Amino acid sequence: MSVFSRRVLPLACLGWIVALSACETSVAPRTGADRHFSMYGVVNPEADSQGVIVFPIENELRVLPAEPLDAIVTSTDLETGGRFVWSDSMVFRENGVVHVYWAPFRASHGRTYRINVASASGERHSEVTVTVPPRAEIVPGGVFEDIWVRQNVAVTAPVDRLNFLLVRYVIKAKLPPASLAYPVLLPDKLPDFGAPPPTDPTAPPVQDSLIVQRLFVPIAYSDKAQLNAEGWTIPLNFSDDFREIRQRVSRRGTRDAAYGIRLEAIEISLVAANAEWTAPGDQYEANVLIQPGAMSNVQSGFGFVGAGYRLEHRYQLPDDVLTRIGFRLDNDQAAQ
């Protein structure tokens, strides 16, 4: 399964798809004669193979046998008519067998594909149609200043959705050693500073001298990204973000003010997704999504097959911009 997941699914997508399918290592009971199969997967134009997880829907709940399904999976490029017959690959888990159907082809940006699952007799069938988002890149624009120091970051194509959008600042600060156990600075104060590290009984005591630490600060921008005819704009506000970073760092205890807060890099990651790839309330919670019909685009069946690919960009800011924002320059080797 590890090779399949690396080649077929974007990492940000794999976790929730596995969660969606985790409760279906057994045959699902049919809730109407017009539903025959469940499918889960992502059509990824950056992968050299495509795959979907398939489950039959039958009249009773039972564990899937370790044998081939009565299911033939095919895909058709609706623009060119190109067709592939997919192969079944059984994946054995502790609680049963999962059938991963796959085909060795690279999906094309902007193309629409129909994936069909049918029994050998053709009496039972389900299908899904997905359109692959256009090719895009993440391109930071120029830094400008009005009241705040800002930068617009472009996603260079009008993809339907930016799923799992994450803007993360990689910083350094001098803090008490106890902070080493929690390198990600989330908005909430969890855990309280001074709480003993949960997994490292040999960590130095809190009263030891401050040490330089690398920290990761995610800032929410999912609700701020804007779509136009050319693509998306992610409007970074460095001044606001620096104030938030400083507040989160302060919750870890007294820091070395002379060392300051230093910025190593800005990391932006997202999944460029098709329009149907949207969860109720944009909340990708497994206990919600596993409910039949909660997030489904499969005709005559259940499940969800999306289309998308992962985009990532890591970059640094010039020294003059760093000082305008409030970061300390990282060129004092003695302070390291």
Side-chain angles (χ1 to χ4, degrees), residues 171-207:
I171 66 168
K172 291 192 295 186
K174 271 190 173 182
L175 292 166
S179 297
L180 284 169
Y182 314 108
V184 179
L185 302 185
L186 298 174
D188 296 327
K189 188 181 176 183
L190 293 174
D192 289 335
F193 172 72
T199 59
D200 185 3
T202 65
V206 174
Q207 63 266 25

Side-chain angles (χ1 to χ4, degrees), residues 38 50 54 77 79 93 97 108 118 133 136-137 143 164 169 174 188 205 244 265 271 287 296 302 306-307 324:
S38 292
Q50 310 301 323
V54 176
D77 183 327
E79 180 177 332
R93 294 179 176 171
V97 178
S108 298
E137 296 179 349
V143 176
F164 313 106
Y169 292 83
K174 271 190 173 182
D188 296 327
E244 177 66 19
V271 171
N287 60 338
S296 180
F302 287 120
R324 283 154 55 194

Side-chain angles (χ1 to χ4, degrees), residues 133-163:
R135 186 187 303 276
E137 296 179 349
I138 297 174
V139 179
V143 176
F144 61 97
E145 188 170 356
D146 41 32
I147 302 175
W148 303 278
V149 182
R150 302 172 180 264
Q151 181 183 46
N152 290 330
V153 175
V155 177
T156 61
V159 300
D160 292 316
R161 295 181 56 81
L162 305 185
N163 283 359

